Amino acid sequence: MIPYFDHNHVTPPHNGNPTDKSQLSPYQSNSLEFTKHFATSPERIEILKGFLNFRKKLNEAGVLEGFQWLDGSFTENIELREGRPPKDLDLVTLYNHSSLSNQQVKFIENNFTDFFDFEESKANYKLDHYPFNYVLDPLLTIDYSRYWIQLFSHNRLGIWKGIIRVELNTPDVDEEASIFLSNLV
C-alpha cells in the first residue's frame, strides 16, 4: 500500500519502523493502486495516461520481465509545497534484456525508441524514463541500484522520500487503471 504524504509533503521513506523491510520503500504497488492514489488533478491524470500508454507499449514490445521504480515530484505533494503541478513522472524500468528475442529488440529499436531515449519518453508520454537491464552484470546492477536509490530517495531539497515499485506485465490491471482514469474525465 502506498502511504500518504508525510509532514514534508513527500511519500515517506518508511512507514513506521525503518528496520522492518516490509515498511520500507520501494513500496510494492500496481498501476491501478498507483493511479487511484495520484489521480488528483487534470495534470496528474494526463501524466498517468502517458504512464499507462507507455506500459501498454512495453507489453507490445515484449518487455515483460521486471519492474518499475516510480518517483519524482509526481510522488510528492508538489502542489502544496511549490504551488505547481508535477510536470512528469520519473521512472526506471528494471528489466531482463536476456528475456527478449532478437525480433523484440528490433521492434524496440525501430518502433519504441522512447524506451531508450528519455527526451522522447518525456515528449511522448510525460515520463522521465530510464531503462536498466538488471541482468547485464551483478556488480553493475549493484552500482546502478545504489545510484537510482540514492537519486530517487531524496528530493531537490534533500528531504528523504519513498519510491513506489510496480511490476511489469500486468496488462489487465493497467486496463483497469485506464478505465478508472477515463471515468474521472
Side-chain angles (χ1 to χ4, degrees), residues 81-132:
R81 195 179 72 237
E82 293 186 15
R84 67 166 180 88
K87 297 177 184 131
D88 59 23
L89 171 63
D90 294 357
L91 75 147
V92 177
T93 300
L94 296 101
Y95 73 106
N96 180 355
H97 187 82
S98 65
S99 70
L100 301 175
S101 69
N102 288 338
Q103 183 179 3
Q104 289 167 321
V105 171
K106 291 231 181 278
F107 177 84
I108 293 168
E109 291 171 350
N110 296 323
N111 302 303
F112 190 32
T113 55
D114 317 74
F115 183 71
F116 292 112
D117 188 327
F118 71 90
E119 290 175 0
E120 284 187 35
S121 65
K122 186 171 289 232
N124 296 329
Y125 298 95
K126 297 185 186 239
L127 302 175
D128 196 3
H129 176 256
Y130 299 90
F132 174 51

Side-chain angles (χ1 to χ4, degrees), residues 2-5 9-13 27 38 75-76 160-162 164:
I2 302 170
Y4 292 104
F5 298 129
H9 308 296
V10 299
T11 302
Y27 298 104
F38 289 104
T75 64
E76 301 177 29
W160 281 89
K161 62 187 235 174
I164 293 128

